[in-house]
Amino acid sequence: MTDKARDAILQRLRNRQPGFDTPSQRVAIETPSWPMEARIAQFKSMLESVRAEVHVVEPENWTDCLKTLVAEKQINNLLYAKQGPLAEAIEAAWGDTLLPELVCDERPVDEWKEEIFFQTDAAVTSARAAIAETGSLVLWPDAFEPRTWSLVPPVHFVIVDGEKLYNTFAEVVEAEQWARQMPTNALLVSGPSKSADIQQTLAYGVHGPTELIVILKASS
Amino acid sequence: MQQRVDFHSRIEQALGNPQLKASLRSAMDGLMANRKACFPDADALEALRLRGAQIRANALSKLPQLLLQLEQRCTQNGIRVHWAESVDEANGIVLGIMREHQAELLIKGKSMVSEEMDLNRFLEAQGIECLESDLGEYILQLAGEPPSHIVAPAIHKTRQDIARLFKEKFPDIPYSDDVDTLTRNARGILRKKFYAASAGLSGVNFAVAESGTLCLVENEGNGRMCTTVPPVHIAVTGIEKVVEKLAHVPPLLKLLTRSATGQHITTYFNMISGPRRTGEKDGPKEVHLVLLDNGRSRIYEDNELVNTLRCIRCGACMNHCPIYTRIGGHAYGTTIPGPIGSILEPQKAGLDNLGELPVASTLCGACAEVCPVRIPIPTLLNRLRYERIRSDHDGATHGQGSGRTRKEAAIWKAWSWLHRSPVRYRLALTLATRLRKILPLGLGPWTRVRKPPRIAAKNLHRRAREEGFNDR
Amino acid sequence: MAEQKRYPAKPKKAYFFATCLVDLLYPEAGLAGMQLIRREGVEVIFPQDQTCCGQPAWNSGYRDEAREVALRQLACFTDNYPIVVPSGSCAGMMRHHYPEMFRERADQASIEAFSSRVYELTEFLVHVLKIELKDLGKPIKVALHTSCSARREMGVADEHEALLKQLSKVELMTQARKEECCGFGGTFAVKQPAISAEMVSDKANAIADTGADLLVSGDCGCLMNIGGHLDYRDAAIEHRHIASFIWERTHATEG
Ligand code: SF4
């Protein structure tokens, strides 16, 4: 059935009238470009405007920042990727018994769905890049930091490197040559989950995390 | 599809509902103000809209090639591509996938194409539960209503309406009309469903041909849930949603979110390019893409009407439409309401069914002024008015000529006869002026809320002569 | 979107196209427009063979009928003078839709030449005649309704305002949602009377809320609609075409 449908659809599309004019004027689109300090300020203010938290810290201090935050927020357990890019620093910094338990389950998520859905307080993941214009994090979830980690627990900490802070989405796509190699799932996250479906009133934490906390590593 | 009588009675019904009027007005005012705040620079906006129009027009001009490329890239990425000529075929494909997996619960993200397919009703008749997970869509599913706006589906409801609905459906949860509480309750209920669902369904905002990537725009995270947690993900989309390159996505995304709700970006922008790969710990094991035609290829045949298919479903045209703002989405009786619905839906369902829609417009142009891909909606409305009454049956539009009545055609013939002859016209002018006291001007509906206009004692032709203005 | 328009220098002569509504119902508006132009030293020609721009038929889908009538107008304005129209709607028809109407037809080039000579009255006064107005009237509060075609097709909303702002005793009041359509829409008002009634009533409320004494508009369709509704309500708000209003407040200078 579907091959027949395919051929019929394509056939009809090829039958179109000739001379379909596409607007061909050249358009120059101005794209913003900020020096680093302003770029960080833009990134921060955009994310904060949608109720995300942004902490800009010296690169060597990010684990201290994370520790303070998890304590403040009374997180009981924190999901992290044992084989991920943040593991070494986190493990070295932890050790304090007052800190939440570090959890890492390396099985496929289907096998411990119950825990991640109903018993996990927070997750920490890295971001591949970030975008100043819109206050967005670029995530490419992988085998170590799976997709659900940034989605299911109510609190999501993201660690991002200031050097990877781009001006715009277009710039990321081009600079990183995305067209050559797309992952299974590439994602822009620009705040905690939200909805305005009830009487145009914003509510946070609909299906994804209620809190998004970004730690941006940048040397002053 | 509802008939014309229904259209009128739905309009009357909407206009007779003061609460609906108030909700719509304040919602549309808010959406318009938000959009405006997002585009502070008029020139930059115009440049971006032109770019958006070019990207979409470019994609349409190469549609067959791009669809093939999309199919090929998706297949390489492990996505299974299905083609459907009609809604029935598309429903059949989804059902087949569900059956293959003995899946009993389909959890859905927001998808206007699934509304077009009336998928929920279809699957439920087959014993498969369909659950909407977008908060607005979920509320409407509980209420048993279709969406009334493509971006803000429950815009016609107040929070008290919703609170009462929740109380009725979930008597165990204490009544609350607090938006945060309502949201939290819905989160709790739906979370269990995400956990249990055997398949997830989503729409597609842009399908990128060069990389085989399906893009999904959303704020709540339900789209991510539907496309990540269940073992099977089914994406349904119209064949027009394809774009050529990944580089085309950022400008379209920018236009879409800003035009729709005045957000610089939505919370989540998902780019899905395949099922879970070896070693990955989550994500669906299967991804299916259903490409639906359902009348689109027919629209595609016409060089002017094809521009209907540029639409990126931002909803800005309805937010700015004075008619939509008065009657709301349900009155249209179509999947897509508002200005874009009034050009798209009659082309799909036929002018014989929905020919009233293009007529029900003042052609004020507010829609075209904001459309991020510059669809000339009033021009296309005008074109469809012509298609509706033309008598030569030369062209592709479905239901052509169906609105032509002898009486109306005769009136316009007479009008032309009068106005194409200066002598006859001047004679009529003089006659009208003579009889001005007794001529029944604007009787009927016009004078229900207006004083009739008065014919002047001397028409301008005469005044001009008297005041010494030369004829040549 | 109004493209960047270029305006000619002040001509010796200009044509005036009345529009059928002005002709029959608001001749004083047409006359005022012609007198304003004449006062600036331009000879105004009013071809007696003109009738209607064809828009009613065009917007109803009766394209052949519209073309037949449009062709007659072309024959009345053959010399290379500007054609001034006291209506955004009819000017929009003749400037923007005529080329569309005759697309891919033999006469296309001449139609385009014709269309490029069409100007809405206020833009002609402001940009071509560079008119300067001296207000002789009493202080008054005025609300302006700019028609959708004047605003969006012809892009002359600013010109309407600029003229009123030249009048020193006129206080221009701004109604809420001033960009919104008044609900006239030609046959729309008759085909969808209920929606149209709702729209015109909202528009009239917004205007009344400003406390204006008078409503002006550059389009007689809107004027007939909103004004007719204001009268129906017995509202204490007068209504006038912008040309009549300007002429009344400035014409004593002629002595
Ligand atoms: S027609 Fe334009 S404004 Fe309306 S929904 Fe489509 S893209 Fe948006």
Side-chain angles (χ1 to χ4, degrees):
Chain A
M1 173 167 81
T2 161
D3 273 354
K4 205 178 118 238
R6 177 182 184 271
D7 295 344
I9 293 169
L10 289 169
Q11 192 53 50
R12 276 197 299 275
L13 294 179
R14 290 188 185 114
N15 276 345
R16 72 176 336 284
Q17 293 173 6
F20 170 27
D21 47 336
T22 61
S24 58
Q25 263 158 288
R26 277 251 179 105
V27 265
I29 307 249
E30 269 181 53
T31 51
S33 171
W34 292 275
M36 199 34 106
E37 207 171 310
R39 204 183 293 181
I40 292 174
Q42 167 74 15
F43 175 72
K44 191 164 184 279
S45 85
M46 289 310 287
L47 269 168
E48 286 172 349
S49 73
V50 287
R51 242 211 239 173
E53 270 180 49
V54 182
H55 302 272
V56 183
V57 299
E58 291 295 322
E60 62 277 13
N61 293 343
W62 73 266
T63 47
D64 292 342
C65 178
L66 178 65
K67 286 200 290 188
T68 317
L69 290 168
V70 290
E72 262 172 27
K73 293 179 189 294
Q74 302 181 337
I75 305 281
N76 290 313
N77 51 37
L78 178 69
L79 202 54
Y80 85 117
K82 212 177 250 171
Q83 299 188 57
L86 308 173
E88 207 178 317
I90 294 181
E91 282 165 7
W94 239 244
D96 190 328
T97 47
L98 288 176
L99 287 170
E101 182 196 353
L102 286 178
V103 194
C104 180
D105 198 321
E106 298 191 303
R107 287 175 297 161
V109 171
D110 330 55
E111 293 169 32
W112 55 288
K113 214 168 165 184
E114 168 84 33
E115 283 120 283
I116 191 167
F117 261 75
F118 303 109
Q119 288 151 30
T120 307
D121 281 0
V124 56
T125 73
S126 62
R128 181 186 173 92
I131 298 163
E133 184 183 30
T134 48
S136 308
L137 298 155
V138 180
L139 305 186
W140 281 27
D142 59 16
F144 305 121
E145 294 178 339
R147 294 156 77 158
T148 7
W149 292 27
S150 59
L151 175 64
V152 175
V155 181
H156 179 206
F157 293 95
V158 190
I159 317 300
V160 59
D161 194 338
E163 281 168 16
K164 290 293 207 147
L165 179 58
Y166 290 90
N167 291 291
T168 62
F169 181 26
E171 194 180 75
V172 185
V173 171
E174 203 194 299
E176 299 200 343
Q177 302 195 320
W178 282 20
R180 294 225 185 136
Q181 29 113 24
M182 282 295 273
T184 311
N185 183 215
L187 185 67
L188 305 186
V189 175
S190 314
S193 153
K194 66 176 184 292
S195 174
D197 274 351
I198 303 180
Q199 217 178 300
Q200 293 288 291
T201 311
L202 265 180
Y204 289 88
V206 194
H207 297 296
T210 311
E211 286 184 64
L212 175 72
I213 299 139
V214 180
I215 301 178
L216 180 78
K217 300 186 285 179
S219 27
S220 45
Chain B
M1 287 302 130
Q2 289 86 344
Q3 298 303 311
R4 141 178 197 170
V5 245
D6 290 348
F7 184 44
H8 283 275
S9 64
R10 285 192 307 265
I11 288 172
E12 298 287 341
Q13 211 181 347
L15 292 174
N17 179 347
Q19 186 209 304
L20 178 70
K21 177 176 171 168
S23 313
L24 280 170
R25 185 78 261 184
S26 80
M28 297 304 124
D29 281 350
L31 287 164
M32 286 192 283
N34 290 349
R35 173 188 173 275
K36 211 168 187 180
C38 243
F39 290 119
D41 178 339
D43 293 340
L45 168 61
E46 283 323 298
L48 194 59
R49 289 175 69 226
L50 190 55
R51 184 83 190 104
Q54 283 174 344
I55 291 170
R56 289 296 300 135
N58 168 67
L60 291 173
S61 73
K62 304 179 190 167
L63 191 55
Q65 298 94 295
L66 292 185
L67 282 169
L68 283 174
Q69 190 186 9
L70 177 72
E71 179 187 46
Q72 187 201 0
R73 290 284 185 274
C74 282
T75 310
Q76 280 170 358
N77 294 344
I79 298 175
R80 281 168 48 189
V81 180
H82 311 260
W83 301 70
E85 283 203 78
S86 65
V87 159
D88 289 347
E89 281 185 19
N91 280 325
I93 291 166
V94 176
L95 177 65
I97 299 167
M98 296 299 286
R99 289 261 162 85
E100 197 183 313
H101 294 272
Q102 277 135 26
E104 280 162 4
L105 171 61
L106 178 70
I107 190 135
K108 291 178 64 196
K110 203 170 152 23
S111 151
M112 289 314 291
V113 170
S114 76
E115 294 288 340
E116 174 181 349
M117 290 159 61
D118 207 357
L119 177 69
N120 295 8
R121 203 150 38 137
F122 171 80
L123 285 183
E124 254 140 48
Q126 307 289 328
I128 293 172
E129 186 189 350
C130 272
L131 191 72
E132 297 289 346
S133 65
D134 171 88
L135 184 56
E137 297 278 357
Y138 176 64
I139 291 166
L140 293 180
Q141 192 177 23
L142 289 179
E145 290 175 28
S148 69
H149 188 285
I150 62 173
V151 172
I155 201 128
H156 57 288
K157 287 205 169 317
T158 64
R159 74 192 147 88
Q160 289 82 4
D161 293 339
I162 295 164
R164 280 192 295 272
L165 183 66
F166 270 63
K167 187 69 214 161
E168 183 196 321
K169 301 286 171 179
F170 307 101
D172 296 346
I173 304 177
Y175 175 91
S176 167
D177 59 16
D178 172 66
V179 174
D180 286 322
T181 313
L182 285 166
T183 305
R184 210 170 325 117
N185 292 342
R187 177 184 171 108
I189 299 163
L190 286 165
R191 192 146 266 236
K192 296 198 190 90
K193 298 289 186 175
F194 285 122
Y195 180 81
S198 28
L201 183 128
S202 76
V204 175
N205 291 96
F206 319 114
V208 186
E210 74 170 345
S211 58
T213 301
L214 311 177
C215 302
L216 199 57
V217 176
E218 57 139 353
N219 278 310
E220 296 182 3
N222 66 310
R224 289 190 66 198
M225 286 280 190
C226 292
T227 59
T228 299
V229 178
V232 180
H233 167 208
I234 306 168
V236 293
T237 189
I239 51 170
E240 82 281 19
K241 283 292 173 68
V242 63
V243 296
E244 188 177 5
K245 295 180 165 139
L246 267 176
H248 292 163
V249 170
L252 288 181
L253 176 65
K254 197 169 182 174
L255 282 164
L256 174 58
T257 65
R258 291 172 198 223
S259 303
T261 50
Q263 299 182 83
H264 288 269
I265 193 165
T266 50
T267 301
Y268 301 112
F269 184 61
N270 256 293
M271 289 156 275
I272 298 166
S273 308
R276 180 191 304 201
R277 286 181 196 156
T278 329
E280 291 180 348
K281 304 288 170 15
D282 62 5
K285 291 179 179 144
E286 275 181 26
V287 177
H288 297 264
L289 173 64
V290 181
L291 295 168
L292 174 64
D293 181 344
N294 191 28
R296 291 164 173 83
S297 56
R298 188 158 177 176
I299 298 174
Y300 187 75
E301 278 181 38
D302 184 277
N303 278 336
E304 186 175 34
L305 293 167
V306 63
N307 292 314
T308 314
L309 301 177
R310 279 193 214 160
C311 176
I312 58 172
R313 301 285 189 271
C314 71
C317 56
M318 46 204 86
N319 300 345
H320 291 74
C321 177
I323 316 274
Y324 177 90
T325 305
R326 298 299 182 306
I327 63 176
H330 286 162
Y332 292 78
T334 50
T335 307
I336 314 261
I340 179 64
S342 298
I343 54 173
L344 175 66
E345 301 284 6
Q347 294 184 70
K348 286 164 73 179
L351 287 160
D352 42 349
N353 287 309
L354 295 173
E356 283 288 289
L357 292 184
V359 181
S361 163
T362 63
L363 305 178
C364 78
C367 48
E369 187 177 44
V370 296
C371 175
V373 289
R374 295 176 40 133
I375 301 176
I377 298 174
T379 308
L380 301 185
L381 287 167
N382 183 296
R383 170 67 192 279
L384 291 175
R385 290 179 180 186
Y386 166 60
E387 294 298 331
R388 181 166 179 261
I389 61 90
R390 74 191 277 188
S391 49
D392 56 5
H393 302 288
D394 178 18
T397 312
H398 188 11
Q400 205 171 52
S402 58
R404 191 179 183 90
T405 62
R406 256 202 222 153
K407 185 176 153 210
E408 209 183 64
I411 290 175
W412 288 111
K413 276 257 153 350
W415 174 89
S416 163
W417 179 82
L418 192 66
H419 288 84
R420 65 175 186 257
S421 151
V423 176
R424 287 193 289 264
Y425 173 78
R426 281 197 299 267
L427 214 65
L429 264 185
T430 315
L431 206 63
T433 308
R434 289 254 171 83
L435 302 177
R436 57 196 265 269
K437 298 263 162 57
I438 54 165
L439 264 191
L441 250 199
L443 273 187
W446 175 266
T447 39
R448 232 176 273 154
V449 297
R450 297 170 192 87
K451 280 252 172 82
R454 308 259 301 270
I455 293 176
K458 287 182 188 173
N459 57 59
L460 189 60
H461 273 76
R462 181 149 163 218
R463 298 286 302 266
R465 260 195 328 261
E466 290 177 1
E467 300 285 337
F469 289 98
N470 287 334
D471 173 39
R472 61 183 69 241
Chain C
M1 282 317 97
E3 77 279 33
Q4 212 48 45
K5 257 189 274 177
R6 279 192 293 151
Y7 292 98
K10 188 163 156 181
K12 287 217 164 52
K13 295 182 184 183
Y15 283 125
F16 201 81
F17 180 79
T19 81
C20 53
L21 278 186
V22 166
D23 204 358
L24 194 65
L25 305 175
Y26 297 86
E28 71 289 348
L31 199 62
M34 288 159 55
Q35 282 163 326
L36 283 168
I37 300 171
R38 179 153 76 180
R39 191 172 69 191
E40 297 300 307
V42 175
E43 184 189 337
V44 179
I45 302 166
F46 185 93
Q48 288 285 328
D49 280 358
Q50 59 178 291
T51 65
C52 166
C53 67
Q55 191 191 56
W58 179 252
N59 282 350
S60 300
Y62 286 83
R63 294 190 163 189
D64 291 337
E65 288 76 0
R67 268 189 285 263
E68 289 162 2
V69 170
L71 278 172
R72 286 305 311 190
Q73 312 317 310
L74 297 174
C76 302
F77 299 91
T78 45
D79 287 332
N80 189 22
Y81 310 135
I83 304 156
V84 184
V85 186
S87 154
S89 168
C90 309
M93 180 71 199
M94 296 166 89
R95 186 171 185 111
H96 299 293
H97 297 293
Y98 275 15
E100 190 185 316
M101 248 171 144
F102 293 93
R103 196 164 41 206
E104 285 161 35
R105 281 164 196 257
D107 22 21
Q108 197 183 8
S110 67
I111 306 274
E112 275 170 15
F114 171 91
S115 288
S116 66
R117 286 191 280 132
V118 173
Y119 299 92
E120 187 274 338
L121 175 65
T122 63
E123 65 172 339
F124 189 76
L125 294 177
V126 171
H127 297 296
V128 181
L129 303 186
K130 307 202 166 38
I131 197 168
E132 281 173 24
L133 301 175
K134 188 149 170 263
D135 193 358
L136 304 171
K138 296 207 181 74
I140 187 172
K141 290 180 179 164
V142 174
L144 166 71
H145 173 73
T146 304
S147 76
C148 298
S149 27
R151 179 182 302 282
R152 303 199 177 91
E153 260 178 12
M154 295 305 289
V156 296
D158 291 347
E159 285 74 3
H160 280 39
E161 282 190 25
L163 285 174
L164 294 178
K165 283 183 181 154
Q166 282 195 34
L167 299 170
S168 56
K169 304 266 177 46
V170 168
E171 188 183 349
L172 185 57
M173 314 302 287
T174 306
Q175 65 275 28
R177 303 186 190 95
K178 67 170 180 177
E179 295 90 359
E180 194 179 79
C181 178
C182 71
F184 175 56
T187 53
F188 173 82
V190 183
K191 296 212 169 189
Q192 290 294 346
I195 307 175
S196 179
E198 193 79 18
M199 289 166 73
V200 73
S201 133
D202 289 347
K203 182 60 76 186
N205 287 340
I207 290 166
D209 286 347
T210 64
D213 308 305
L214 174 81
L215 165 70
V216 300
S217 178
D219 272 84
C220 290
C222 311
L223 217 47
M224 196 166 80
N225 183 38
I226 313 172
H229 182 69
L230 287 169
D231 291 350
Y232 168 83
R233 284 189 187 184
D234 283 328
I237 303 173
E238 301 269 295
H239 37 91
R240 203 108 68 244
H241 190 277
I242 192 168
S244 310
F245 178 64
I246 294 174
W247 177 249
E248 282 161 23
R249 292 191 72 94
T250 59
H251 86 289
T253 46
E254 287 211 312

